[in-house]
C-alpha cells in the first residue's frame, strides 16, 4: 500500500466550524440548455433545467456568460422575488427497490451518485465517507456534525435498498464534534459500523480508502456524507436539491467559513456579502488547493452542488523558483509518475489522479500538477 | 510530511553544519593555538572563510539579482569554505572563490557539473602554487600522533578545515535521512562501495589508513547529494554512488582527502558527456515519431 501522507496544517487559515446561511440571494443563474425562456418570463422555484432546479422564484432579467462546473456556459439571470413560489408538488412515495431508487436519482439530478452505482456490477458493501481531503475544506465534517440523525436514518434506508447487511461510516479522528454527535445515537443503528480514520491525505479517494479498510473496491460502493444528505432530502423527503454547502477559505481572506447557500448563486455575490480580503494579489481555486483548479475569472463562478470549497490563496506565497532536481515529486506521487520527466519535457500523463501532492511537496513551488495533467497547455490554447 | 521551501532546506543544512564548524574551530584553531603554533586571531579561520564566501555571494547576488537570496548557492559557498585546507591563504581564497564562483554561475546555464567540487579542485590547485600542498595543520605537521578509533571518529583525522568530524557528519546524516528531499541512497552506496574496496585493500596490504576517511563520509553526505547535481532515479543513484566509490578509492591511494571531490567531479563530467551524447538523439527520435 502506498504510504498515506499527513499534510501540514496551515497556521494562516482557521475555518470557523459553524454553518453560515445565505438562502436569500438577489440573483441566481441557471444554464440555458434545452430550455426556452425570454427576458421577463416568470420562473417558479423548483422549475427543472437540464442540470439543476431553479432555487428561487423570480423574473428572468438577462442572459449572461458564466462558469458552471468549470465550463463557460450561457445562463439565465433570475432576479429573486423572495416569494419562494414553487411549482405544484406531485404526491410522493418513497421507493422500496433499487430500480425505483435509481430512476428517482435521475429525476432529482443526482447523476454523480447514479454513475457510481451503475459502475458497480455487484454491491456487497457500502462505505459512507465523511472525509474532507484538504486543509482548506470542512464540508463533509460539517454535514456529519450537523445532520448526523438524517445521515444515519438514510444509511438504515440504504441497507434495505441495496439489500446488504452492514454499512461502514468513516470520519477522521480529528473531527471531535461529528464523532461526539454520531456516537450519541449510533447505538440505535446496530447495522452501521462507525470507524475513525487517521488524518491522512488520499483517504478521500475511494481506491485508497478501500485499500485502507481492506475491502474490495469492485464490490464496494463509496458515497460521501454530502451524497447521503442529498439522498435524504430528495428521495426520502421528496425535495429538490436547491441548496448546497461549501467551504470558503484561504490565507487571502480575513475569515474562513462554511456556507449553506442556494445553487446558482454567483461567487461575486458571496464575496460582496461575506468576504474581506487581506491582499489584492490572490488566486482562486475551486474544489481545493491541492485537487482543485485555478480559475482566472473567479467572479463568473456559479455555486453548484459539485463545488466543495473555494480557496483564496495569496500569490505572494506562491512564487515559483527553478527546479532543484530533489525528486520529492517522484517519491510522493501515489501513482508513480515520473513527474520530473514530465516537467523537463512538458509531457502529460494519463495516469495522474490530480491529487496535487507534487505541487504540495515541491520546494520550488512549481505547479507540477498543471504540467502533468496538461492544464498549462490548455491555458495557452485558450 | 513536512513541506519545505528551498530556503528552509538550505537553512536546515546550514544548521546541521554548525557543529562541524565549531569542531573545526576547536581542532584547527584552539588546539593549534594552545601549543603556540597559531596566532589567536587565526583560531576562527573556519568562520572567516565562511564569512568571506558569504560576503562574496552577497555582493554577486546584489550585482546580478539585486537582492540577497538564501538559495543553494549559499550552501555551496559554506561547504566550499568548510572543506578548504587549513593552510589556505585568505587572499587566494577570496580572489579564487570570487572568480570561480562567477564563472560557475555562467557554467550552470550550459552544464550541470558539481559546483562545489569544481571550485574546490580549482582552489586547491591555485593554493598549491602559493602554499605547500598539505591538509595537515601546524600541529599535525610538527608532531605525529597515535589516535585510537574514537579519536578518529570524533574528527582528529587530517582533512578539510571544518569537515573532519565523522561523528557530527553522521548525526547530520541521521537527521537528513528522514527528509523526502534528501537522496539518502547515495551516501549509503558510496560508503559501502568505498569501504568494501578499502577492506579488500587492508586484507591485501595490511594498510588500514583508508578505512576511516572523514572526507569521504562528509562529502558523501553533503556534497554528492546536492540535488541539482545528483540523479533522482534509484538505479541511477546506485550507479552514481558505485562509480564515485570506486574512483574515490583509486584516488585515495594517492591522496585520501581530495579523492572524493575529484571522484565526484569526474563522475559529474562523465554524466554530462553521456547526457549530451545519449539523450539528445532519443528525444529527437521521439519528436520525429510523434
Amino acid at each position: 500500500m502506498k504510504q498515506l501522507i499527513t499534510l501540514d496544517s496551515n497556521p494562516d487559515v482557521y475555518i470557523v466550524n459553524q454553518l453560515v446561511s445565505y438562502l436569500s440571494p438577489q440573483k441566481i443563474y441557471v444554464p440555458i440548455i434545452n430550455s426556452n425562456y425570454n427576458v421577463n418570463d416568470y420562473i417558479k422555484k423548483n422549475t427543472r433545467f437540464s442540470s439543476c432546479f431553479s432555487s428561487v422564484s423570480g423574473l428572468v432579467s438577462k442572459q449572461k456568460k458564466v462558469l458552471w462546473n468549470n465550463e463557460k456556459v450561457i445562463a439565465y439571470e433570475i432576479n429573486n422575488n423572495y416569494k419562494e413560489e414553487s411549482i405544484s408538488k406531485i404526491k410522493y412515495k418513497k421507493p422500496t427497490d433499487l430500480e425505483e431508487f435509481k430512476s428517482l436519482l435521475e429525476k432529482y439530478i443526482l447523476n454523480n451518485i447514479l454513475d457510481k452505482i451503475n459502475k458497480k456490477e455487484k454491491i456487497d458493501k457500502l462505505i459512507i465517507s465523511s472525509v474532507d481531503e484538504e486543509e482548506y475544506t470542512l464540508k463533509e465534517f460539517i454535514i456529519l456534525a450537523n445532520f448526523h440523525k438524517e445521515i444515519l436514518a438514510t444509511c438504515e434506508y440504504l441497507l434495505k435498498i441495496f439489500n446488504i447487511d452492514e454499512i461502514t461510516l468513516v470520519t477522521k479522528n480529528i473531527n471531535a464534534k461529528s464523532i461526539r454527535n454520531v456516537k450519541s445515537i449510533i447505538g440505535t443503528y446496530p447495522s452501521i459500523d462507525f470507524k475513525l480514520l487517521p488524518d491522512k491525505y488520499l483517504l478521500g479517494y475511494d481506491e485508497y480508502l478501500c485499500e485502507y479498510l481492506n475491502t474490495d473496491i469492485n464490490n464496494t460502493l463509496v458515497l460521501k456524507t454530502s451524497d447521503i444528505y442529498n439522498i435524504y432530502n430528495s428521495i426520502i423527503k421528496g425535495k429538490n436539491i436547491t441548496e448546497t454547502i461549501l467551504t470558503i477559505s484561504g490565507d487571502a481572506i480575513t475569515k474562513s467559513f462554511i456556507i449553506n447557500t442556494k445553487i446558482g448563486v454567483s461567487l461575486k455575490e458571496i464575496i460582496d456579502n461575506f468576504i474581506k480580503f487581506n491582499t489584492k494579489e490572490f488566486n482562486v481555486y475551486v474544489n481545493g488547493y491541492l485537487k482543485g483548479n485555478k480559475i482566472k475569472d473567479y467572479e463568473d463562478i456559479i455555486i453548484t452542488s459539485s463545488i466543495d470549497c473555494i480557496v483564496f490563496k495569496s500569490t505572494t506565497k506562491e512564487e515559483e523558483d527553478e527546479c532543484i532536481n530533489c525528486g520529492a515529486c517522484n517519491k510522493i506521487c501515489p501513482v508513480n509518475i515520473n513527474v520530473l520527466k514530465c516537467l523537463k519535457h512538458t509531457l502529460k500523463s494519463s495516469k495522474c489522479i490530480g491529487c496535487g501532492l507534487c505541487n504540495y511537496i515541491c520546494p520550488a513551488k512549481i505547479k507540477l500538477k498543471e504540467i502533468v495533467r496538461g492544464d498549462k497547455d490548455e491555458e495557452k490554447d485558450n | 510530511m513536512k513541506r519545505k521551501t528551498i530556503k528552509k532546506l538550505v537553512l536546515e543544512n546550514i544548521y546541521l553544519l554548525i557543529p562541524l564548524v565549531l569542531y573545526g574551530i576547536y581542532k584547527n584553531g584552539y588546539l593549534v593555538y594552545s601549543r603556540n603554533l597559531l596566532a589567536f586571531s587565526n583560531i576562527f579561520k573556519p568562520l572567516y572563510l565562511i564569512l568571506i564566501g558569504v560576503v562574496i555571494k552577497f555582493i554577486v547576488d546584489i550585482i546580478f539579482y539585486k537582492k540577497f537570496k538564501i538559495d543553494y548557492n549559499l550552501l555551496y559557498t559554506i561547504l566550499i569554505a568548510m572543506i578548504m585546507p587549513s593552510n589556505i591563504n585568505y587572499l587566494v581564497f577570496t580572489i579564487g572563490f570570487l572568480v570561480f564562483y562567477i564563472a560557475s554561475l555562467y557554467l550552470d546555464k550550459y552544464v550541470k557539473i558539481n559546483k562545489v567540487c569544481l571550485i574546490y579542485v580549482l582552489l586547491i590547485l591555485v593554493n598549491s602554487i602559493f602554499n605547500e600542498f598539505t591538509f595537515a595543520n601546524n600541529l599535525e605537521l610538527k608532531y605525529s600522533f597515535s589516535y585510537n578509533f574514537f579519536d578518529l571518529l570524533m574528527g582528529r583525522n587530517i582533512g578539510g578545515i571544518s569537515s573532519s568530524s565523522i561523528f557530527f557528519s553522521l548525526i547530520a546524516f541521521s537527521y537528513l535521512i528522514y527528509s523526502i528531499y534528501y537522496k539518502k541512497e547515495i551516501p549509503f552506496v558510496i560508503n559501502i562501495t568505498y569501504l568494501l574496496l578499502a577492506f579488500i585493500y587492508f586484507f591485501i596490504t595490511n594498510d588500514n589508513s583508508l578505512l576511516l576517511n572523514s572526507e569521504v563520509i562528509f562529502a558523501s553526505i553533503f556534497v554528492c547529494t546536492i540535488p541539482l547535481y545528483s540523479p533522482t532515479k534509484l538505479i541511477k543513484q546506485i550507479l552514481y554512488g558505485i562509480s564515485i566509490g570506486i574512483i574515490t578509492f583509486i584516488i585515495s591511494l594517492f591522496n585520501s582527502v581530495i579523492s572524493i571531490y575529484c571522484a565526484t567531479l569526474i563522475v559529474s563530467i562523465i554524466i554530462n558527456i553521456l547526457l549530451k551524447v545519449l539523450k539528445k538523439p532519443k528525444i529527437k527520435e521521439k519528436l520525429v515519431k510523434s
Side-chain angles (χ1 to χ4, degrees), chain B residues 16-251:
Chain B
L16 291 171
L17 292 171
I18 291 171
L20 282 135
V21 176
L22 294 176
Y23 187 80
I25 293 170
Y26 168 73
K27 187 211 159 199
N28 293 309
Y30 175 74
L31 280 182
V32 188
Y33 166 76
S34 63
R35 303 271 181 115
N36 292 326
L37 293 167
L38 193 73
F40 177 78
S41 57
N42 273 341
I43 291 176
F44 301 101
K45 193 170 181 178
L47 265 187
Y48 300 153
L49 292 177
I50 291 171
L51 274 177
I52 291 168
V54 173
V55 169
I56 289 172
K57 192 211 176 281
F58 176 81
I59 295 166
V60 173
D61 271 9
I62 295 293
I63 294 169
F64 284 82
Y65 313 111
K66 307 227 161 104
K67 66 170 183 181
F68 179 63
K69 292 198 287 186
I70 298 178
D71 55 7
Y72 266 88
N73 281 331
L74 180 67
L75 182 65
Y76 305 156
T77 306
I78 293 169
L79 283 173
I80 292 165
M82 286 177 70
I83 56 182
M84 283 292 121
S86 54
N87 70 351
I88 183 90
N89 185 299
Y90 285 118
L91 197 67
V92 170
F93 179 77
T94 310
I95 297 170
F97 183 77
L98 177 67
V99 173
F100 299 139
Y101 180 69
I102 293 172
S104 72
L105 287 178
Y106 281 103
L107 194 72
D108 258 358
K109 289 177 186 169
Y110 306 103
V111 280
K112 297 272 179 252
I113 291 176
N114 196 314
K115 202 184 279 183
V116 176
C117 297
L118 181 68
I119 298 176
Y120 172 79
V121 170
L122 291 172
L123 279 171
I124 293 292
L125 285 174
V126 175
N127 189 49
S128 61
I129 299 166
F130 300 97
N131 274 318
E132 190 189 345
F133 181 74
T134 179
F135 283 84
N137 59 35
N138 290 348
L139 190 67
E140 288 157 344
L141 282 173
K142 199 164 184 188
Y143 302 100
S144 45
F145 298 92
S146 171
Y147 293 126
N148 61 25
F149 174 77
F150 290 102
D151 290 328
L152 295 172
L153 195 70
M154 279 312 292
R156 300 301 288 270
N157 320 50
I158 291 173
I161 195 160
S162 348
S163 59
S164 61
S165 177
I166 296 173
F167 177 71
F168 289 123
S169 295
L170 291 177
I171 284 183
F173 182 58
S174 61
Y175 174 81
L176 286 169
I177 50 171
Y178 294 105
S179 169
I180 193 169
Y181 303 98
Y182 186 67
K183 296 168 182 175
K184 56 181 177 289
E185 294 82 4
I186 294 173
F188 274 120
V189 177
I190 292 174
N191 284 296
I192 289 168
T193 313
Y194 176 81
L195 275 175
L196 268 176
L197 293 168
F199 264 111
I200 294 167
Y201 181 73
F202 167 64
F203 286 125
I204 296 168
T205 62
N206 215 17
D207 177 4
N208 62 2
S209 62
L210 298 183
L211 282 174
L212 216 58
N213 189 334
S214 59
E215 287 304 306
V216 172
I217 292 169
F218 176 83
S220 66
I221 292 167
F222 290 104
V223 181
C224 304
T225 52
I226 291 173
L228 199 56
Y229 309 118
S230 51
T232 46
K233 270 195 172 178
L234 184 65
I235 185 77
K236 286 181 184 171
Q237 286 176 355
I238 292 170
L239 285 173
Y240 175 78
I242 289 173
S243 44
I244 289 179
I246 293 168
I247 301 171
T248 302
F249 173 76
I250 295 166
I251 304 172

Side-chain angles (χ1 to χ4, degrees), chain A residues 353-371:
Chain A
I353 56 167
C355 65
L357 280 173
C358 46
N359 279 3
Y360 168 81
I361 207 75
C362 181
K365 296 174 186 169
I366 301 170
K367 297 280 170 249
L368 295 161
K369 190 186 89 180
E370 282 75 0
I371 294 165

